Amino acid sequence: CGPGGSPVPAAVMPPCMYQWSRRKEGRLRSFYYPAGAPPTPENAKIFFLRAQFASNISWTSPLKVMQSDHAGWEDYINGKIATAPAGLRGGYQTSEAWWWMDTVANMQTGAYSAAGITLLLAAVVILAGTGNVVITIYSVGAIFVILAATVATVVAMGWTLGFLEGICFSILIGLSVDFVIHMGHGYVEAVRLGQEQGVVLSRH
């Protein structure tokens, strides 16, 4: 690109980048040629530039860490774009890590929403299936205690609700509902046999 070093003059930059890109697979897609101009290095015009940087987060980082890192990159890039020349203000930053961050955030929101919807639907189904308000209250209370105890255990262990934890939490919701409903239904169906026998049969 000449002996002048950086910054490279605007007239030299396109052919300089073109020569460099010829040695990199797929990089010539960053250039275009004016209408009617032959595809030579001298006629090549830069369509876009892409730069890659390393981040200090990993795929297993807590959601708050990823969101903080994303906000830092956004502030840095937006600050540079604001002071860039008029033709260079269309830049942006993106990363596969931010896609993963969005997935984890939705898993976290979905886990809490699923827990609330589950309690509501379980109450309706148990009440409609058993016709017993007491069994319904006990069942919903048991499901809530199971979910709350699990979340409390995760927090006490220092874990955060990430992608895998969100999946496990969703599975736990199903298991807790299934077990409790079977217990309540079995007890109601076997109550005519006596309280002790009803409890025994509800375990099966």
Side-chain angles (χ1 to χ4, degrees):
C1 294
S6 182
V8 179
V12 180
M13 186 67 173
C16 176
M17 292 297 299
Y18 183 88
Q19 294 293 349
W20 177 83
S21 297
R22 292 178 62 182
R23 299 190 295 270
K24 305 291 183 179
E25 183 178 357
R27 296 297 175 85
L28 290 180
R29 294 176 299 178
S30 303
F31 297 87
Y32 73 96
Y33 304 96
T40 61
E42 291 75 18
N43 293 327
K45 303 297 182 182
I46 297 177
F47 182 61
F48 70 91
L49 287 177
R50 181 181 65 181
Q52 294 180 333
F53 301 92
S55 176
N56 59 349
I57 64 171
S58 67
W59 296 95
T60 57
S61 297
L63 179 60
K64 290 184 178 180
V65 174
M66 290 191 286
Q67 290 175 333
S68 176
D69 199 66
H70 174 262
W73 277 105
E74 280 287 284
D75 292 342
Y76 176 79
I77 295 299
N78 291 336
K80 293 297 182 181
I81 291 176
T83 58
L88 300 177
R89 294 179 182 176
Y92 61 92
Q93 65 95 15
T94 185
S95 170
E96 293 181 357
W98 310 147
W99 304 345
W100 179 252
M101 176 190 70
D102 185 64
T103 300
V104 173
N106 281 282
M107 284 293 299
Q108 186 179 87
T109 303
Y112 294 133
S113 300
I117 294 173
T118 296
L119 290 173
L120 178 62
L121 291 179
V124 174
V125 171
I126 295 171
L127 182 59
T130 64
N132 191 312
V133 176
V134 176
I135 292 295
T136 300
I137 294 174
Y138 283 152
S139 298
V140 173
I143 295 171
F144 176 79
V145 169
I146 292 172
L147 299 179
T150 303
V151 173
T153 301
V154 170
V155 173
M157 295 174 64
W159 293 5
T160 56
L161 187 60
F163 182 77
L164 294 178
E165 291 82 3
I167 293 177
C168 293
F169 192 71
S170 299
I171 296 173
L172 169 70
I173 293 172
L175 292 176
S176 63
V177 171
D178 182 74
F179 180 77
V180 172
I181 288 181
H182 276 83
M183 290 281 290
H185 180 263
Y187 188 85
V188 170
E189 288 297 316
V191 70
R192 68 181 186 277
L193 301 177
Q195 185 175 7
E196 293 184 2
Q197 186 63 21
V199 172
V200 172
L201 291 178
S202 69
R203 296 175 183 173
H204 302 285

